[in-house]
Amino acid sequence: MRIAVLSGKGGTGKTTVSASLALSLGNYQYVDSDVEEPNGGIFLNPKITDILPVNVKVPAVDENKCTGCGICSKTCQFNAIAVIKGMVLLFSEICHHCGACIIACPEVALYEIEKTIGVIEKNEDATFMQGKLNIGEPISIPIIQKLKDEMNPHIPIIIDCPPGASCNVVESIEGCDYCILVTEPTPFGLHDLKIAVKLVEKMGIPFGVVINKSSKDSKIIHKFCDKNKIDILLEIPFSRDIAEAYSKGRLPVHENAEWKEKFRAMYEKIKRGVNK
Amino acid sequence: MKQIAFVSGKGGTGKSTLVSSLSILVKDKMIADCDVEAPNLHIILKGNILNKEDYYGAKGAIIDLSKCVECGQCRETCRFKAISEEFNVIRLKCEGCGACTLVCPKDAIRLENVKTGETYVSNTDRGTYSYALLDIGAEGSGKLVTEVRKKVNEYKDNEKWILIDGTPGIGCVVIASITGADAVVAVSEPTKSGISDLQRVLGVAEHFQLPSFVCINKYDLNLEVTNEIEKYCKDRNIPVIGKIPFDPSIIKALQDFKTPIEAGNTRITEEITNIWSTLEKEMAKIGQF
Amino acid sequence: MKICISSTGSSMDSTLDPRFGRAVYFIIADTETMEYESIENTAALSGGGAGVTSGQLMADKGVSAVITGSVGPNAMNVLKAAEIDVYRGLPTTVKENIAKFKEGSLEKIDSPGPSHSGMGGQR
């Protein structure tokens, strides 16, 4: 069972929900695929023992073979190659590692070398994994793919996704059995929820909603979910206590066993729904 | 004209709340919502749309199935697994690199521009406002951010400021949000991840040699971390230009589509007014004026 | 001598664009005859690598010098490889910048400014 936790934007409580769910289950693999800002470790306190580099292939030139024809430069859709005075200049920071230049070179003068763009970190029993993108690198997908390759299919997997609805989210949720969409009851939250709903519907993944910072005053999310027949899985109330505890790296499940029960019940509900 | 970019290491720190409040308090400005992956300000800033354009933000492969002999070479070549068993291009995965077009023996594949969203410029009672709405699953590229900023520049009418609501994170989109700006204001919160998030985004600003300022939101939730943030900034000579207290009424006001300013929250209004005047002073100090 | 000025518009009276890779136009002019060609910079809106492409364009056009505001590290590498000199232009018209260049009063730039500095306009 692979569950992805996502939200239209950051800061809605994605990590709160994923980490709480993980802690409530006991047996789990938690995967933080928000490689630009991995945060889950703060609540789960894993001891990182394994660090695997994530490499991509970037071109290099064999100057003995290169004739300086410039075809590679014209082929590259990402402007990562210039050919000046018969010399190939390669800019690996802009490179998308697609390999088109290698195919295009008529002299077979380009070959590929490995370049590290980030890492995957794991704790000893791999119940925790996170990806980290190096600063200045433009593309996170290879790191997310590597995380997926390293997942343990035998236990429940909880993926804490990057915010938004970009290709990084698409990559993270692809292959998941269920998506939990986290939102908050404000016009901003609703707007972002609608985007997340469209995305998971487009990808054909079953989903439900968790309302974070919920209050009695605002039923804006309930109305939307009722109208569109979307399951509301859980509500986490807006309270200063929870916000304060959060700022210290404590989750509601740390403070109160009742919350563990609620998250476990949510998991069972999801599991029943998926197996049906 | 000075461009001030508001950024945060991660979302939810109150960046948009700050920018939307400043949209009332700061006169003589334009606004660019560069948080293109989750644009929010347009929900609050209602106005007449002056300009709407389709945005072709990506190139994508198109397979002419009448020419395709299903040899599978394109699928083998594609590093992004963007070609399906049925030889359709999976739009959400295609990077538009063109590698498939090079290997197709039947010349059945070509690259075309693909629409990925729309850009808008609207005329609001708080000034000209530029934003973009992305199609689902489309990537909010640096290019689109650049486009949003270019659009607002096209409607420039001697305004003194452009307020840029930047993207959270540290990737390419963030870089596009802050480059060419005159200063960066990093909005932070005193959570456990707050400092590391802040460090990362300040790292990007430093990399591009931009003057940075820090604003701590919900500072009273954890005074210990707030102190740590202040010390971190002090050691690096980054001015902390404001501290906003945790106040549930901010969220309540938001539920009625109101900024804390409109909701008449004097304490918060005062603090945000202070943030802006401190920023103006600091900008003068570093010789930007 | 063939030189290129990054420009906000397509004529000699347009203002210098302080960005190189993401300049709106390039004006390529002959300093003797003052004949010129204006090229719209299609790289200005590319997702990345605008500096590389613009540098390549300069090399392909065979210019000897570029007048602009700031050049990012990637573009600087390309221009250096192409042995094209870079000069810091003044915030005035293209024509005037050419005149100043001919006088020899423009400052030569040897080190790159921050990359991406042109993405999205300046001052």
Side-chain angles (χ1 to χ4, degrees):
Chain A
M1 176 91 152
R2 205 193 276 185
I3 300 174
V5 182
L6 63 152
S7 66
K9 76 171 195 76
T12 50
K14 233 173 345 80
T15 303
T16 300
V17 171
S18 2
S20 300
L21 179 56
L23 288 170
S24 308
L25 291 181
N27 182 32
Y28 63 88
Q29 184 177 40
Y30 176 93
V31 181
D32 196 335
S33 75
D34 186 1
V35 301
E36 284 187 32
E37 298 293 333
N39 273 341
I42 288 162
F43 301 104
L44 297 170
N45 291 314
K47 198 170 151 227
I48 301 297
T49 52
D50 271 345
I51 299 178
L52 315 173
V54 179
N55 294 338
V56 294
K57 286 176 178 162
V58 296
V61 62
D62 180 341
E63 277 160 20
N64 295 322
K65 288 188 189 164
C66 176
T67 60
C69 69
I71 289 177
C72 52
S73 165
K74 290 188 185 74
T75 301
C76 179
Q77 294 295 324
F78 310 106
N79 310 324
I81 308 176
V83 178
I84 304 293
K85 295 183 190 251
M87 283 277 292
V88 175
L89 303 180
L90 300 161
F91 295 89
S92 68
E93 273 193 25
I94 315 169
C95 177
H96 280 48
H97 343 116
C98 67
C101 55
I102 313 286
I103 300 166
C105 178
E107 310 298 332
V108 203
L110 290 173
Y111 58 100
E112 293 187 303
I113 52 172
E114 303 253 303
K115 183 196 175 198
T116 303
I117 59 163
V119 292
I120 282 181
E121 299 179 340
K122 288 185 188 180
N123 62 355
E124 202 168 1
D125 54 2
T127 52
F128 177 91
M129 278 205 295
Q130 65 182 5
K132 275 188 181 166
L133 180 70
N134 291 347
I135 287 188
E137 285 295 338
I139 298 167
S140 336
I141 298 272
I143 299 186
I144 300 171
Q145 280 170 345
K146 177 104 175 171
L147 282 171
K148 287 164 80 174
D149 292 346
E150 299 283 325
M151 282 177 194
N152 178 354
H154 306 295
I155 52 177
I157 298 166
I158 296 148
I159 305 172
D160 187 0
C161 291
S166 68
C167 56
N168 292 341
V169 182
V170 172
E171 186 63 44
S172 300
I173 67 177
E174 192 194 40
C176 283
D177 301 294
Y178 194 86
C179 286
I180 298 174
L181 314 186
V182 185
T183 187
E184 52 187 34
T186 65
F188 292 162
L190 176 62
H191 173 262
D192 298 334
L193 174 64
K194 284 181 187 167
I195 292 174
V197 167
K198 273 193 209 158
L199 176 68
V200 291
E201 278 179 346
K202 193 165 176 174
M203 296 189 60
I205 306 173
F207 65 97
V209 166
V210 169
I211 307 177
N212 191 21
K213 300 181 193 165
S214 81
S215 80
K216 286 192 190 77
D217 305 331
S218 180
K219 293 288 166 205
I220 180 168
I221 303 294
H222 288 91
K223 269 186 215 153
F224 171 78
C225 290
D226 284 352
K227 202 174 141 205
N228 293 281
K229 302 200 167 57
I230 296 169
D231 279 344
I232 294 175
L233 302 163
L234 191 69
E235 291 185 47
I236 303 170
F238 182 66
S239 89
R240 188 175 177 108
D241 288 348
I242 291 180
E244 255 179 34
Y246 178 91
S247 79
K248 295 177 185 127
R250 309 270 310 161
L251 297 169
V253 291
H254 283 121
E255 310 290 318
N256 189 334
E258 240 175 68
W259 278 106
K260 273 196 178 174
E261 275 312 312
K262 286 185 185 170
F263 274 98
R264 229 175 278 147
M266 175 174 88
Y267 177 78
E268 290 305 325
K269 187 174 167 192
I270 290 172
K271 207 164 103 182
R272 277 197 305 276
V274 169
N275 292 340
K276 208 156 47 184
Chain B
M1 168 174 292
K2 301 285 164 197
Q3 304 190 34
I4 313 291
F6 295 83
V7 298
S8 61
K10 73 173 199 69
T13 57
K15 183 171 55 63
S16 293
T17 308
L18 179 63
V19 176
S20 57
S21 298
L22 287 174
S23 76
I24 301 176
L25 295 172
V26 180
K27 304 295 168 222
D28 200 14
K29 49 66 184 71
M30 306 201 281
I31 304 158
D33 193 345
C34 291
D35 191 354
V36 292
E37 299 199 339
N40 266 337
L41 292 176
H42 66 283
I43 301 165
I44 288 193
L45 290 173
K46 298 281 177 212
N48 303 322
I49 291 172
L50 300 171
N51 174 289
K52 176 188 170 190
E53 269 173 54
D54 283 347
Y55 176 72
Y56 290 84
K59 281 197 174 158
I62 312 262
I63 301 178
D64 182 345
L65 291 174
S66 69
K67 287 187 188 165
C68 174
V69 292
E70 307 197 349
C71 68
Q73 289 195 48
C74 51
R75 206 160 52 212
E76 256 168 57
T77 304
C78 180
R79 299 241 169 115
F80 308 103
K81 300 184 183 124
I83 297 170
S84 74
E85 292 291 322
E86 297 80 29
F87 293 92
N88 285 314
V89 177
I90 304 162
R91 226 15 93 208
L92 290 172
K93 296 193 148 198
C94 178
E95 287 269 329
C97 70
C100 53
T101 65
L102 300 172
V103 296
C104 178
K106 294 288 167 191
D107 249 346
I109 317 180
R110 61 185 193 278
L111 277 187
E112 275 188 11
N113 289 326
V114 184
K115 177 182 171 277
T116 52
E118 289 123 32
T119 60
Y120 297 84
V121 178
S122 68
N123 185 9
T124 77
D125 53 4
R126 298 182 203 167
T128 309
Y129 167 54
S130 170
Y131 62 104
L133 298 179
L134 278 174
D135 294 344
I136 296 307
E139 199 179 351
S141 61
K143 189 167 155 186
L144 179 56
V145 169
T146 306
E147 189 67 19
V148 167
R149 292 179 61 187
K150 184 178 152 214
K151 284 262 151 123
V152 80
N153 268 295
E154 282 170 9
Y155 286 84
K156 180 153 73 177
D157 184 21
N158 278 318
E159 287 91 345
K160 205 168 158 192
W161 305 97
I162 298 182
L163 306 183
I164 300 168
D165 190 358
T167 322
I170 56 161
C172 171
V173 195
V174 186
I175 294 167
S177 303
I178 67 171
T179 45
D182 297 277
V184 168
V185 177
V187 183
S188 146
E189 55 179 10
T191 56
K192 257 198 144 177
S193 69
I195 285 205
S196 57
D197 293 339
L198 179 66
Q199 283 169 355
R200 286 160 78 88
V201 73
L202 286 175
V204 179
E206 195 187 327
H207 186 76
F208 295 107
Q209 301 170 15
L210 293 167
S212 316
F213 304 96
V214 167
C215 174
I216 309 171
N217 197 14
K218 308 173 205 164
Y219 80 92
D220 54 340
L221 273 185
N222 190 331
L223 291 172
E224 202 179 312
V225 180
T226 295
N227 286 339
E228 254 179 83
I229 293 177
E230 286 183 295
K231 182 167 183 305
Y232 176 85
C233 293
K234 200 175 166 216
D235 290 348
R236 277 152 197 81
N237 254 327
I238 300 166
V240 174
I241 56 170
K243 292 193 286 184
I244 302 173
F246 177 83
D247 186 342
S249 80
I250 296 182
I251 293 270
K252 246 190 184 148
L254 209 54
Q255 286 166 356
D256 303 323
F257 294 75
K258 279 183 181 159
T259 61
I261 316 291
E262 290 158 293
N265 186 329
T266 48
R267 182 160 154 240
I268 303 290
T269 306
E270 214 168 275
E271 189 52 45
I272 294 176
T273 310
N274 262 334
I275 288 172
W276 185 254
S277 59
T278 313
L279 182 69
E280 276 189 302
K281 270 183 225 141
E282 289 286 344
M283 293 286 291
K285 234 195 266 174
I286 52 173
Q288 291 281 319
F289 259 22
Chain C
M1 183 183 192
K2 211 170 173 188
I3 65 169
C4 173
I5 303 92
S6 60
S7 168
T8 54
S10 61
S11 85
M12 280 284 187
D13 295 315
S14 311
T15 313
L16 176 110
D17 193 324
R19 308 166 292 176
F20 174 65
R22 292 181 191 273
V24 186
Y25 283 93
F26 293 117
I27 308 268
I28 295 177
D30 185 314
T31 51
E32 270 75 62
T33 62
M34 290 304 273
E35 273 174 25
Y36 71 95
E37 171 193 10
S38 76
I39 304 172
E40 197 176 345
N41 180 16
T42 48
L45 276 181
S46 60
V52 176
T53 305
S54 302
Q56 177 83 57
L57 178 71
M58 298 299 114
D60 293 348
K61 288 283 174 183
V63 308
S64 313
V66 164
I67 303 174
T68 185
S70 156
V71 173
N74 289 343
M76 191 55 112
N77 280 341
V78 177
L79 294 173
K80 278 201 170 147
E83 293 170 9
I84 297 171
D85 291 331
V86 184
Y87 291 87
R88 193 180 311 282
L90 303 169
T92 167
T93 61
V94 171
K95 210 192 288 168
E96 218 152 311
N97 271 291
I98 298 176
K100 294 282 181 206
F101 172 77
K102 280 161 77 177
E103 278 172 33
S105 63
L106 293 183
E107 174 204 352
K108 201 167 158 185
I109 312 177
D110 279 319
S111 55
S115 57
H116 296 269
S117 71
M119 292 179 82
Q122 288 178 330
R123 277 152 276 270

